[in-house]
Amino acid sequence: MAEVAKHTCDDEGKEDVWIVVGNAKTGGPKVIDISSYLDDHPGGKEVMMDLAGKNADEMFEDIGHSNEARKKMKSLVIGDLKLSEAEKKALEEEAERKKIAAESGMGMMPFLVIIIAFAAFMYAKNNGMM
């Protein structure tokens, strides 16, 4: 990622902007040179510049890009991201934390609904609404 992080500028009319997109489910992280695509991006150049030099996979997947967008991205791939063992471990740990947080958050939902319903019932009862 250190090499990718060096490619974040739009100096003197020469754009040199890289991002990383991809994960274990999509064939691994790929380095994408988006320099030539900045002005053509439907969401605007600013969106791309905010992600310059960073891992943009989560943002790319959350947006729900079309097959056409994915095809265009593949044409801009310049290589696979080479990660050190420490970087690989950090990414795996982050993915596991997000997975646990997502799973535990949904487990609390029924509990919260019951608490809110009980509170509403008690409020209505104590204020003569029942």
Side-chain angles (χ1 to χ4, degrees):
M1 280 300 297
E3 182 62 30
V4 173
K6 294 177 187 176
H7 298 268
T8 61
C9 61
D10 179 13
D11 292 333
E12 302 166 16
K14 176 162 177 3
E15 296 161 336
D16 179 34
V17 183
W18 293 3
I19 60 172
V20 173
V21 176
N23 55 58
K25 294 179 184 176
T26 60
K30 307 288 184 210
V31 179
I32 319 290
D33 183 348
I34 59 171
S35 304
S36 64
Y37 187 64
L38 291 170
D39 292 326
D40 297 326
H41 185 255
K45 180 178 182 175
E46 297 78 24
V47 172
M48 302 294 269
M49 291 304 294
D50 286 345
L51 298 169
K54 300 175 186 170
N55 188 329
D57 185 64
E58 188 172 345
M59 178 70 79
F60 183 84
E61 294 301 334
D62 285 350
I63 296 298
H65 284 86
S66 67
N67 288 336
E68 186 177 321
R70 291 175 186 280
K71 189 184 299 183
K72 178 61 180 175
M73 183 186 67
K74 284 182 182 178
S75 74
L76 301 173
V77 171
I78 57 174
D80 294 331
L81 179 65
K82 307 287 189 266
L83 296 171
S84 69
E85 288 304 315
E87 289 173 319
K88 286 180 189 176
K89 185 174 181 177
L91 284 175
E92 289 169 3
E93 288 172 354
E94 181 180 350
E96 185 63 24
R97 276 194 304 275
K98 286 181 181 180
K99 180 181 173 186
I100 290 170
E103 290 171 353
S104 66
M106 290 306 293
M108 293 293 293
M109 189 61 69
F111 182 69
L112 291 174
V113 169
I114 291 169
I115 290 175
I116 291 170
F118 180 74
F121 170 76
M122 293 303 294
Y123 177 81
K125 184 179 177 185
N126 290 334
N127 289 304
M129 296 178 176
M130 292 189 86

